[in-house]
Every structure is written in structure tokens, then in C-alpha cells.
Amino acid sequence: MHISGAIALVTGANRGLGRQFATQLLERGATKVYATARRPELVTVPGVEILPLDITDPASVAAAAEAAADVNLLVNNAGVAFGTDLVVGDLDVLHREMDTNFWGTLSVVRAFAPQLAGGAILNVLSVLSWIAFQGSGGYAASKSAQWSLTNGVRLELAGQKTQVTGLHLGAADTDMTAGYDVPKTDPAVIVKAGLDGLEAGYWEVLADEWSRGAKAALAADPRAYYNQQ
Ligand SMILES: NC(=O)c1ccc[n+]([C@@H]2O[C@H](COP(=O)([O-])OP(=O)(O)OC[C@H]3O[C@@H](n4cnc5c(N)ncnc54)[C@H](OP(=O)(O)O)[C@@H]3O)[C@@H](O)[C@H]2O)c1
């Protein structure tokens, strides 16, 4: 996938990693970048095409796919994390995490898939696709589901030559991690790693030490990983 000359669409482009994706895609020579947001008035990246898109609203997704019928690179970045426990957390909140991170992403993939033949999808996943994190059980489950979605969609779209890449990261310094006292990577570094991996044709990009460590630990007894945390 060559970013130079691509026509890209980024979900959740008004802040955080999404804003960085829109900025760096333009810097790397994308011909056009649709920077989408559920509140498009908050998009501030110069030079982008701004479109409204709430990935949990089927009418909004359909309208965006029609308005951006020339897209050949889809960046599924939009996501939510409410810090909810699985056992005692509010069920409505748990549903909202799954509705956005899994069902919303899938809805956008389904709407854009026909025009992505020969193009690419980059899904923003997480280290929590692979490990549970106390206090974020619902988010982790939704990111696991989104990881599986990424693998399934890759197989299903191989016939039309759509590259599907998953970007995993531990913690980037965005609003999403504001309440967590953990080492955080500059969002620009994470996004560069994702776009480098996309251009290199990788199926999976591990953007920081935390995601690399968790992926490596998957083959071992889970006790070994969780006992050292
Ligand atoms: N930051 C991290 O450490 C980290 C780690 C692992 C994975 N990730 C993943 O990275 C992605 C970006 O996260 P971030 O750190 O940039 O978080 P963020 O700063 O909280 O930004 C989240 C973005 O998603 C948008 N969004 C949420 N629900 C949406 C919806 N229904 N439709 C359209 N847009 C929606 C938000 O829009 P509004 O402004 O309208 O809310 C915002 O633009 C997410 O998929 C997240 O799970 C982040």
C-alpha cells in the first residue's frame, strides 16, 4: 500500500491518534484525506476534507461511504474506553464499548469494503486485545473482538486484494489515557509506526514495548505474564 497518491479516510480524526493519522497521511503524500468525526466542527487539521461520521449510526456510516466513494485506504481509529468492570460494571456502558469498538468498526468496514479492492484497511487495536487489565475488562473484551474482526476481514477481503493491518499499542499520550499513571508514547510515534507498517505490507504492527511484550507472552502460561505485572 502506497500512501503517496492514496485517498484515505480516518475515523475519529478530531483528536488523539486520529488527528495524527490525518496529519501524517497528508505529510506522506496522500492525495486526499477525509478527516471524519461525529462532531466535524472539531476537526482542525489543515488541508483535509471534513465529513461527519458517527460509526455507531448506520445512516451516518452509509452517508459517509456515499460521500467518500473514492477512498482506497480506510483507517478505523475511532474508539471508546470507559474503564468498566465486566462483573459489576454498568451493562449499558459495556454495550457502548462493544457497539463502538467492535460493531462500529465492522459497520464501517462493511460499508467501505467494495471500494477498497486493491487498497487497505488499518485497524487501531490495543495491547488489551491480548491481555486483561484490572478496571478495563469491558474495553479489553471489545478490543479482543476487534482483533478477531481484523483477522477475519483480512481473510474475507484477500480475494479482492485488500490489505488489512492491525496496529497494537500499549499507551499513547491522548485523552483516553489521561487518568492512567503509566509510561505513554507520543501519538506521533505510534502513528508513524502504523503507517510505516502499512506501507511495508505488515499484517500486524506492534508499536511499543508493552504490546511487543504482551504478544510474546501469549504463547506461555498466562500466569507467567500476569504474575509479573
Ligand atoms: N491512547 C492509547 O493509549 C490507546 C491504546 C490502545 C489503543 N488505543 C486506540 O486508539 C484509538 C484512538 O484512541 P485515542 O487514544 O486517540 O483516544 P481519544 O483521544 O479518546 O480519541 C478517540 C476518538 O474516537 C472518536 N469516537 C469515539 N466514538 C466515536 C463514534 N461513535 N464515531 C466516531 N468517532 C468516535 C472520538 O470522537 P469524540 O471526540 O466525538 O469523542 C475521538 O475522536 C482507539 O481505537 C483506541 O481504542 C488507544
Side-chain angles (χ1 to χ4, degrees):
M1 181 72 212
H2 298 292
I3 293 171
S4 177
I7 299 182
L9 183 142
V10 181
T11 64
N14 55 302
R15 60 193 172 101
L17 296 175
R19 187 176 199 286
Q20 266 301 321
F21 273 115
T23 303
Q24 291 192 26
L25 284 164
L26 279 179
E27 287 171 358
R28 293 169 81 126
T31 303
K32 195 193 287 186
V33 175
Y34 292 101
T36 73
R38 50 185 169 179
R39 286 175 295 166
E41 68 277 12
L42 299 182
V43 175
T44 55
V45 182
V48 294
E49 303 279 326
I50 300 173
L51 272 186
L53 175 54
D54 180 338
I55 68 168
T56 62
D57 174 355
S60 173
V61 172
E66 197 178 329
D70 50 355
V71 167
N72 65 351
L73 168 57
L74 169 64
V75 180
N76 283 311
N77 163 78
V80 291
F82 297 123
T84 310
D85 287 322
L86 288 163
V87 180
V88 298
D90 184 329
L91 258 190
D92 287 342
V93 175
L94 290 168
H95 276 283
R96 277 169 56 207
E97 284 179 324
M98 201 60 92
D99 285 347
T100 305
N101 300 342
F102 176 76
W103 290 111
T105 300
L106 183 58
S107 166
V108 176
V109 166
R110 288 168 63 105
F112 280 88
Q115 55 173 287
L116 294 173
I121 298 172
L122 177 63
N123 285 344
V124 184
L125 306 171
S126 175
V127 68
L128 300 190
S129 302
W130 298 317
I131 55 161
F133 192 72
Q134 184 75 45
S136 291
Y139 173 75
S142 74
K143 286 305 217 187
S144 283
Q146 197 184 5
W147 172 46
S148 186
L149 174 167
T150 301
N151 291 327
V153 164
R154 182 182 301 117
L155 293 181
E156 293 179 29
L157 297 185
Q160 67 168 42
K161 300 202 180 318
T162 303
Q163 177 184 325
V164 179
T165 299
L167 169 64
H168 295 261
L169 64 138
D173 194 1
T174 67
D175 295 344
M176 190 172 277
T177 57
Y180 295 94
D181 186 17
V182 294
K184 300 170 195 174
T185 306
D186 182 342
V189 171
I190 299 287
V191 166
K192 181 180 183 307
L195 295 180
D196 286 348
L198 179 84
E199 287 208 295
Y202 295 162
W203 285 9
E204 191 166 88
V205 179
L206 310 179
D208 56 13
E209 272 310 311
W210 193 5
S211 57
R212 284 189 284 274
K215 180 72 191 294
L218 272 183
D221 184 329
R223 279 196 198 94
Y225 182 86
Y226 288 101
N227 284 347
Q228 71 183 10
Q229 297 307 299

